[in-house]
Amino acid sequence: MSTHVTDRASGTERGNGDKPGKQKFGLVLQGGGALGAYEAGAVEYLYERGMECAIVTGASAGAMNAAALAGATQYPPRVLRELWEKLAVDGPVPFLPGIPVPFLPQWMTRLWFSYIPSLVVPGMYRPRLDVWNLPDWTYVAKPTMGKTLEDLVDWDQVRDPRHMRLTVSASGVEDGTVAYFTNIPADRLPRPLQPEYQPVRFGLEHVLASGSFPGGFPWTTIRDRAYWDGGLTDNTPLKPILDNLTEDEAASMPIFMIDVNVAAAPRPDSMYGVSQRMLELLVSNRLRSDLDTAASYTRFISVLKQVDEQLPSDAPVRKEQEWDEVMGYHHVRRIHMIDMKKPAGDSAGDFSRQSILRRISAGYDQTRAALETAVPF
């Protein structure tokens, strides 16, 4: 059991630090803008339960969380909470908190208390001001996340896969393919090396590439290639987890997929609702298919292992290179999808402090509730 005792109101920690022998887990963190605060709450509960992350993947905001988790020099949940408190913004009129104004229509109240303060999120981005170049714009805001992460993250620790294996997804602007930037060395990646894997000296630019949402931020150039947000091609990067587990980890280590988006929601009744629903569908693009693929993958591997036991030792197929590769696959037994149960109207663009703190608390509570009745896929 963990010796940490966390004060959830302040995000501080009491106790004598990490102890060896903790239950390791894998973590898949989705993108979703300000909805990434749910993931901070989920991580807080997992660590409070006495667990420790061994391998993490992320897309967009999930990539930012993943890098902060891997590079945390203090108790990781405290670092994640501090990150989101730096990203939170206060209302446009500081002495007027988020109190509903009865004579304003709902859309105007939402605009005033949620989106006006989110036009500028100093810890993440600032709007462009060169309006004279407007016809040539390909993005509207400049990222400022670098300074926020630099204050919280030890990049040498991020680059060390022995501390934590880290992979983030990004999308090629020109070819539309997914790229997985990883701190895992090339000789430890699956063989033959798949083209989407890019072992790198992991840094801020890879987090920025994963979070370069089209139109919002400029694409990020790495090795002469332009990249946009990882959520466009893989917003739930489960594959880099499945590909990079040891046999023992595949058999016993729990893998948690944190779902911050809404797969099902009522029909929208306004243009605002249409835009929000479109974004939800975009960023939840591969979750269900990934879960189905993982289930099929584990059944396939289970059958192959049985076939291997029954095949004669001199069977010709055993001489094939492909057979050796397939026998290297592992049966992953403990995959859990944790639904944050995000309200349909909860916007990825709402960085107001009240909403950020609510999501951290909800992420903690939903993860606790899910694990009390957890049944692996």
Side-chain angles (χ1 to χ4, degrees):
M1 192 67 180
S2 171
T3 57
H4 289 107
V5 179
T6 302
D7 178 353
R8 295 180 55 211
S10 65
T12 59
E13 162 217 0
R14 303 186 305 275
N16 57 2
D18 289 340
K19 294 294 183 181
K22 289 186 174 183
Q23 166 73 67
K24 304 293 185 181
F25 66 88
L27 192 60
V28 182
L29 300 175
Q30 289 184 337
L35 305 180
Y38 284 110
E39 296 168 344
V43 169
E44 185 172 322
Y45 178 75
L46 293 173
Y47 271 76
E48 230 178 68
R49 186 162 161 158
M51 306 174 76
E52 191 171 67
C53 187
I55 180 169
V56 60
T57 65
S60 197
M64 177 183 65
N65 282 336
L69 182 63
T73 55
Q74 306 177 59
Y75 183 48
R78 182 167 67 184
V79 171
L80 279 175
R81 179 179 284 269
E82 186 176 348
L83 168 64
W84 283 96
E85 288 180 347
K86 285 176 176 287
L87 296 177
V89 293
D90 295 304
V93 183
F95 53 84
L96 285 179
I99 302 171
V101 181
F103 58 83
L104 290 180
Q106 183 180 12
W107 70 268
M108 193 174 293
T109 301
R110 183 188 295 126
L111 178 69
W112 179 255
F113 289 114
S114 295
Y115 301 104
I116 295 298
S118 299
L119 290 176
V120 180
V121 180
M124 182 173 279
Y125 58 82
R126 293 183 182 276
R128 291 182 65 168
L129 300 177
D130 57 330
V131 293
W132 53 90
N133 291 322
L134 186 60
D136 298 323
W137 282 14
T138 57
Y139 60 92
V140 299
K142 296 182 178 181
T144 57
M145 189 197 314
K147 180 62 169 65
T148 303
L149 284 176
E150 292 291 346
D151 292 341
L152 297 171
V153 169
D154 178 343
W155 289 105
D156 288 333
Q157 181 173 292
V158 169
R159 296 177 184 119
D160 184 0
R162 296 168 300 179
H163 170 71
M164 191 181 301
R165 284 156 284 168
L166 168 66
T167 304
V168 302
S169 63
S171 306
V173 175
E174 290 114 333
D175 59 15
T177 59
V178 66
Y180 295 126
F181 296 114
T182 183
N183 69 355
I184 302 173
D187 60 359
R188 290 178 55 190
L189 289 167
R191 292 294 173 181
L193 185 62
Q194 300 168 35
E196 60 265 33
Y197 281 106
Q198 298 195 27
V200 294
R201 186 174 186 271
F202 206 99
L204 174 64
E205 65 273 23
H206 304 105
V207 179
L208 292 177
S210 186
S212 295
F213 195 80
F217 301 136
W219 56 67
T220 301
T221 302
I222 298 174
R223 297 174 181 170
D224 296 322
R225 292 188 60 191
Y227 293 96
W228 267 333
D229 197 288
L232 298 174
T233 49
D234 194 355
N235 198 50
T236 313
L238 175 62
K239 174 179 167 56
I241 295 269
L242 299 181
D243 285 347
N244 292 289
L245 296 176
T246 67
E247 186 170 2
D248 288 344
E249 288 173 337
S252 61
M253 191 170 75
I255 309 300
F256 299 110
M257 305 170 66
I258 310 300
D259 183 14
V260 302
N261 297 288
V262 177
R267 296 178 188 174
D269 57 4
S270 65
M271 285 304 297
Y272 165 79
V274 169
S275 64
Q276 289 301 113
R277 185 64 184 138
M278 180 183 70
L279 182 60
E280 289 172 351
L281 293 175
L282 174 66
V283 296
S284 62
N285 49 26
R286 289 179 56 169
L287 175 59
R288 181 50 54 185
S289 64
D290 278 352
L291 289 175
D292 291 343
T293 298
S296 299
Y297 179 93
T298 55
R299 288 194 298 268
F300 173 69
I301 297 305
S302 179
V303 170
L304 275 180
K305 297 297 185 184
Q306 295 178 47
V307 170
D308 180 53
E309 293 174 358
Q310 298 175 33
L311 270 177
S313 60
D314 59 350
V317 71
R318 293 188 180 278
K319 299 177 182 179
E320 301 290 335
Q321 179 181 349
E322 289 81 1
W323 181 260
D324 290 337
E325 292 172 3
V326 168
M327 285 298 101
Y329 295 164
H330 304 311
H331 181 184
V332 182
R333 301 175 185 274
R334 300 179 64 190
I335 301 176
H336 305 267
M337 195 273 282
I338 302 179
D339 184 357
M340 294 291 99
K341 302 190 184 303
K342 176 187 86 72
D346 196 4
S347 169
D350 179 4
F351 282 84
S352 61
R353 186 169 303 278
Q354 180 181 4
S355 295
I356 293 295
L357 295 178
R358 171 182 57 77
R359 292 183 192 118
I360 294 174
S361 180
Y364 181 101
D365 293 339
Q366 294 297 344
T367 304
R368 178 178 58 187
L371 294 192
E372 286 175 352
T373 57
V375 177
F377 282 91

